[in-house]
Amino acid sequence: MYSNDGFRELERHECLRRLAKVPVGRIVHTRQALPAVLPVNFSLDHDGAVLLRTSAVSELVRAIDGSVVAFEADEVDAVAHSGWSVVVTGSATVVTDPAEHERLTRTGPSSWVPSPQEVFVRVEPELVTGRELVGGRSLYGVDLTGAT
């Protein structure tokens, strides 16, 4: 992240703990050589990998399988001027092992748009970063809320 921007950096374990508490994030990938961002529901696997469940024939699967992607989730309180953001960067792969697919069918995320043929996409947590702003006050002691 940016160590001098006034936000508090979060450790990896804190990032994963916070990710586990929110149901929706954004997958960031390349589409026709341009950045693309898509909101998705997700869950975390036991090793911190981000798990998505989607249609086997979706454009998303074709776009990200075998690619390096970023996944971002956050929680923001606009009134209190506080919140956090976590980014997981890593390789995305469709789960092809039948036993693993069966396990994820029981323990992984549910699809919000079920389809006849669903697959799980796993984003390996190769790089996990996060930052937090508490109560509208930066690390520099500057009040960001405009209060005096």
Side-chain angles (χ1 to χ4, degrees):
M1 305 249 53
Y2 305 103
S3 60
N4 64 350
D5 64 2
F7 291 80
R8 182 175 78 84
E9 289 186 49
L10 301 174
E11 299 293 328
R12 181 184 180 100
H13 70 278
E14 179 67 11
C15 290
L16 295 174
R17 186 185 71 76
R18 290 176 188 230
L19 276 182
K21 292 183 174 186
V22 295
V24 175
R26 292 153 212 83
I27 191 83
V28 183
H29 61 97
T30 303
R31 183 175 176 188
Q32 298 176 347
L34 296 172
V37 181
L38 185 66
V40 292
N41 69 300
F42 73 101
S43 68
L44 292 183
D45 208 354
H46 56 84
D47 62 353
V50 174
L51 298 169
L52 312 176
R53 185 176 188 168
T54 189
S55 168
V57 296
S58 71
E59 279 188 47
L60 178 63
V61 169
R62 287 193 304 276
I64 67 174
D65 187 25
S67 299
V68 173
V69 300
F71 177 83
E72 188 272 344
D74 53 43
E75 191 170 81
V76 176
D77 183 333
V79 174
H81 295 221
S82 64
W84 58 265
S85 175
V86 170
V87 177
V88 174
T89 306
S91 299
T93 55
V94 172
V95 174
T96 57
D97 177 78
E100 183 72 357
H101 189 278
E102 179 58 34
R103 178 183 74 83
L104 293 176
T105 299
R106 291 188 313 277
T107 63
S110 299
S111 179
W112 286 11
V113 184
S115 69
Q117 278 188 300
E118 293 182 330
V119 294
F120 292 95
V121 176
R122 179 180 181 82
V123 178
E124 294 299 331
E126 295 165 20
L127 178 62
V128 179
T129 58
R131 63 189 203 154
E132 175 183 43
L133 176 64
V134 180
R137 191 165 288 279
S138 79
L139 287 177
Y140 309 121
V142 176
D143 185 349
L144 303 174
T145 65
T148 55

